[in-house]
Amino acid sequence: TQLLEQSPQFLSIQEGENLTVYCNSSSVFSSLQWYRQEPGEGPVLLVTVVTGGEVKKLKRLTFQFGDARKDSSLHITAAQPGDTGLYLCAGEASGTYKYIFGTGTRLKVLA
Amino acid sequence: DTGVSQDPRHKITKRGQNVTFRCDPISEHNRLYWYRQTLGQGPEFLTYFQNEAQLEKSRLLSDRFSAERPKGSFSTLEIQRTEQGDSAMYLCASSFSFGGRTEAFFGQGTRLTVV
């Protein structure tokens, strides 16, 4: 069974702080996606990482794909209250067509 | 709007009733997925279709659940004899794969409350 484990599960920080969310698996993924979800809405795609070791930046968000394509991280610099939400990693493990999600990280940024 | 749309957005039903949800995917996407999500958790995979073929079903999908995608376009998810434990957000997504990457795009979900 392919699983994507995220840590931490919950994170409450002050505005301006930095944070990192991790997404780990024992399986290799051909690509990984990161989503953000607000209450009552569907997840919204933020980024896709494809190549092992790849780093992508989206304003204050930096995404990294592990060299072995089994893990990924999301780093937020100078967090703002607008970053509050549920962050999810997701992907299709190599050799399957099943698109699965991580366990989620609920982030709350306090003003 | 060419995104994924789901209908209805909210459904309240009495225990034991049947409910059906509809999902209209992005038109050029050949894959369609259904997920169930409870509060604060990541979406749990239920089933997916490649065109009209249902290729995988999760063990979460009991005999009371059935999904169809006639003609490879829209999809329906039916829950028969609903139970309180079925209360959740039901999400639909569609995707197409290219170059080994799959990006799924989601609808806004259907929130089911079984009373």
Side-chain angles (χ1 to χ4, degrees), chain A residues 33-102:
Chain A
Q33 285 74 43
W34 283 91
Y35 294 81
R36 186 170 83 194
Q37 186 178 23
E38 311 237 355
E41 302 292 327
V44 175
L45 180 66
L46 296 174
V47 79
T48 294
V49 285
V50 180
T51 308
E54 180 178 4
V55 177
K56 276 193 174 176
K57 294 200 78 171
L58 190 68
K59 296 184 181 177
R60 294 177 294 101
L61 278 58
T62 301
F63 303 86
Q64 186 162 6
F65 202 11
D67 291 340
R69 291 184 290 131
K70 291 184 178 182
D71 57 271
S72 181
S73 64
L74 157 60
H75 182 81
I76 301 179
T77 303
Q80 299 177 1
D83 296 327
T84 294
L86 179 66
Y87 288 82
L88 298 158
C89 62
E92 190 178 274
S94 293
T96 80
Y97 296 113
K98 190 171 161 181
Y99 194 75
I100 61 171
F101 278 83

Side-chain angles (χ1 to χ4, degrees), chain B residues 5-77:
Chain B
S5 64
Q6 290 186 246
D7 183 69
R9 289 289 311 274
H10 304 276
K11 178 72 178 178
I12 300 174
T13 191
K14 290 184 178 178
R15 191 175 52 181
Q17 297 293 305
N18 299 343
V19 294
T20 300
F21 309 142
R22 177 179 169 124
C23 172
D24 286 273
I26 294 171
S27 57
E28 59 266 29
H29 287 180
N30 61 348
R31 292 188 190 167
L32 186 147
Y33 312 82
W34 284 99
Y35 295 86
R36 182 170 68 189
Q37 187 177 30
T38 51
L39 199 62
Q41 303 296 315
E44 295 175 291
F45 172 84
L46 292 179
T47 189
Y48 89 95
F49 294 82
Q50 174 120 348
N51 300 312
E52 67 273 16
Q54 187 174 18
L55 296 186
E56 189 161 347
K57 286 174 61 171
S58 164
R59 282 170 291 179
L60 291 173
L61 220 63
S62 74
D63 291 345
R64 297 183 297 105
F65 287 70
S66 63
E68 293 183 345
R69 193 185 181 196
K71 303 177 185 177
S73 56
F74 72 93
S75 176
T76 58
L77 177 69

